């Protein structure tokens, strides 16, 4: 019998629910039918609220960044890029919801691979952008004098372009992961064994999650420590700490469980985990975790909120100080004339 199960990393719809896994477990009466039935409705219940909420929040964020903020900073450039990547993820959710229930015709195989590749671009582009934001903030806080030479809007824009180039190149092998079979198929899953090779999973986990996570945690921890050791309890410092914590939340909450599930499923595919009940639980955990990973599109809105609030507060403070300075100068001039 051919091996047809795979996790379809962009989406884990019906993961482990057909082909080899079911065949291997049939001797021990291990069935994934209930998991399959549960996920058909559960994925839709997860995707619909994320799609509606995320679409509204990210469109509003782009309106604010592109039209209401007259002057862009390094932070707003990164956030605009993050909002675009989130929108890319959100626009693919209807295709994922359709693929959860329906089969696709054979002539749509290339379109499916293209959409799967875009999903990877959106997910890992978001991961790298959040890591870049942490590094940029770390430079500004820990090395304020060097930051004037290292940080600029041009550098931020160049970094965002580089992120797109890297993730587009890194997702190109996905076109070879799709199994070549006649007839209809389920999109967003059903990868061939090429997608589960140790080197592929090692690169995915190492460069796609562990590396950026370490960069984010280390830079965030040092930035928070520096702000607290400065002894300055200004509103701007408190807002910056909130932004750092929201970035950590937007990264670790959705992506940690999903990549842990990928690692566990890899162990199942390598026959390291053989217990039937464990395989069933891993199947359910991975599918739920991968579905919930899309909530990052909504969590990123926390970062947008704190940054726009900080920018507005900074502008109001600057306007107030400028008005106060002008008033003082006028009062001094009037006194001298008398």
């Amino acid at each position: 019998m051919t091996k047809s199960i795979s996790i379809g990393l962009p989406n884990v719809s019906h993961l482990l629910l057909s082909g080899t896994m079911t065949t291997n477990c049939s001797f021990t009466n291990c069935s994934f039918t209930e998991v399959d039935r549960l996920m058909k409705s559960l994925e839709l219940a997860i995707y619909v609220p994320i799609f509606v909420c995320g679409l509204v929040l990210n469109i509003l964020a782009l309106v604010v960044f592109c039209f209401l903020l007259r002057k862009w900073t390094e932070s707003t450039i990164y956030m605009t890029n993050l909002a675009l990547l989130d929108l890319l993820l959100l626009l693919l959710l209807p295709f994922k919801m359709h693929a959860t229930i329906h089969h696709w015709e054979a002539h749509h195989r290339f379109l499916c691979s293209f959409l799967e590749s875009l999903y990877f671009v959106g997910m890992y582009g978001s991961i790298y952008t959040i890591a870049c934001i942490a590094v940029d903030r770390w430079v500004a806080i820990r090395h304020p004098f060097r930051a004037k030479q290292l940080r600029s809007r041009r550098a931020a824009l160049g970094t965002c372009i580089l992120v797109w180039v890297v993730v587009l190149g890194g997702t190109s092998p996905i076109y070879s992961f799709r199994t070549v079979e006649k007839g209809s198929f389920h999109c967003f899953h059903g990868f061939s064994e090429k997608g589960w090779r140790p080197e592929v999973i090692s690169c995915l986990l190492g460069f796609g999650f562990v590396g950026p996570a370490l960069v984010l945690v280390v830079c965030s921890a040092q930035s928070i420590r520096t702000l607290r050791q400065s002894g300055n309890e200004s509103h701007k410092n408190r807002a910056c700490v909130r932004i750092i914590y929201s970035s950590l939340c937007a990264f670790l909450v959705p992506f940690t469980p999903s990549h842990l599930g990928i690692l566990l499923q890899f162990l199942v595919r390598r026959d390291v985990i053989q217990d039937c009940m464990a395989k069933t639980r891993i199947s359910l955990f991975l599918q739920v975790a991968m579905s919930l990973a899309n909530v990052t599109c909504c969590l990123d809105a926390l970062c947008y909120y704190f940054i726009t609030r900080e920018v507005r507060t900074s502008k109001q403070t600057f306007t107030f100080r400028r008005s106060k300075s002008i008033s003082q100068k006028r009062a001094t001039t009037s006194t001298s004339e008398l």
Side-chain angles (χ1 to χ4, degrees):
M1 299 182 66
T2 59
K3 294 185 177 181
S4 59
I5 26 181
S6 50
I7 129 178
L9 294 179
N11 177 24
V12 196
S13 175
H14 306 303
L15 186 66
L16 305 172
L17 304 177
S18 62
T20 304
M21 184 58 66
T22 306
T23 304
N24 292 342
C25 294
S26 62
F27 298 101
T28 58
N29 296 322
C30 187
S31 174
F32 294 89
T33 304
E34 292 300 323
V35 177
D36 188 14
R37 185 180 298 110
L38 174 63
M39 288 309 302
K40 282 184 178 180
S41 56
L42 189 58
E43 282 186 341
L44 295 178
I46 294 173
Y47 287 153
V48 172
I50 291 176
F51 177 76
V52 174
C53 180
L55 198 63
V56 172
L57 292 176
N58 284 279
I59 289 177
L60 287 177
L62 287 176
V63 170
V64 171
F65 291 146
C66 297
F67 300 103
L68 299 185
L69 297 181
R70 296 181 180 179
K71 185 178 180 180
W72 279 17
T73 64
E74 293 82 6
S75 296
T76 51
I77 290 175
Y78 285 120
M79 287 298 168
T80 301
N81 188 59
L82 189 58
L84 291 174
L85 289 164
D86 286 341
L87 276 178
L88 179 60
L89 277 175
L90 290 167
L91 293 177
L92 291 171
L93 288 185
F95 296 99
K96 294 178 66 179
M97 288 186 281
H98 182 274
T100 299
I101 303 174
H102 301 91
H103 282 79
W104 288 29
E105 298 298 329
H107 62 276
H108 289 146
R109 201 170 300 277
F110 178 81
L111 174 62
C112 174
S113 296
F114 176 70
L115 296 175
E116 290 170 342
S117 177
L118 287 181
Y119 187 85
F120 269 121
V121 169
M123 175 178 289
Y124 291 99
S126 298
I127 288 176
Y128 276 102
T129 301
I130 294 174
C132 290
I133 292 172
V135 173
D136 178 76
R137 188 181 297 117
W138 174 78
V139 171
I141 295 173
R142 294 279 294 184
H143 306 283
F145 297 105
R146 294 185 60 189
K148 295 180 179 180
Q149 290 78 34
L150 297 177
R151 298 176 75 241
S152 67
R153 287 175 292 177
R154 179 177 297 179
L157 182 60
T159 302
C160 292
I161 294 174
L162 180 62
V163 167
W164 280 89
V165 172
V166 170
V167 293
L168 283 170
T171 58
S172 58
I174 197 173
Y175 291 93
S176 64
F177 292 166
R178 171 62 52 187
T179 55
V180 181
E181 297 177 359
K182 296 181 179 180
S184 59
F185 65 100
H186 270 300
C187 190
F188 287 101
H189 78 99
F191 282 1
S192 66
E193 290 297 322
K194 292 182 180 179
W196 281 104
R197 291 178 299 181
E199 56 271 24
V200 173
I201 300 301
S202 298
C203 290
L204 177 68
L205 296 177
F207 295 103
F209 175 71
V210 176
L214 289 176
V215 170
L216 176 65
V217 171
V218 171
C219 290
S220 299
Q222 291 188 3
S223 298
I224 292 173
R225 186 184 302 116
T226 301
L227 290 172
R228 290 180 173 174
Q229 289 177 350
S230 66
N232 185 0
E233 295 295 331
S234 64
H235 173 80
K236 185 175 182 180
N237 277 13
R238 292 195 299 269
C240 190
V241 171
R242 288 195 294 267
I243 292 172
I244 294 173
Y245 279 124
S246 64
S247 297
L248 283 170
C249 177
F251 186 99
L252 297 176
V253 170
F255 296 128
T256 301
S258 58
H259 286 84
L260 176 60
I262 291 173
L263 175 60
L264 292 174
Q265 175 58 18
F266 172 72
L267 296 178
V268 171
R269 294 297 297 261
R270 305 300 294 182
D271 291 329
V272 175
I273 299 176
Q274 298 182 352
D275 180 71
C276 182
M277 183 174 294
K279 290 179 179 180
T280 306
R281 291 176 177 176
I282 290 173
S283 171
L284 180 60
F285 171 74
L286 179 55
Q287 293 182 76
V288 173
M290 290 295 292
S291 299
L292 290 175
N294 297 283
V295 80
T296 184
C297 300
C298 301
L299 294 179
D300 288 337
L302 294 174
C303 304
Y304 307 151
Y305 168 75
F306 288 131
I307 282 186
T308 53
R309 184 178 178 181
E310 179 187 357
V311 171
R312 288 174 57 191
T313 302
S314 300
K315 285 185 176 181
Q316 291 172 359
T317 302
F318 174 77
T319 303
F320 173 76
R321 289 178 178 176
R322 184 180 180 184
S323 301
K324 186 177 179 180
S325 177
I326 293 174
S327 299
Q328 290 176 347
K329 287 181 179 180
R330 288 177 178 176
T332 302
T333 303
S334 301
T335 303
S336 63
E337 290 177 353
L338 292 175

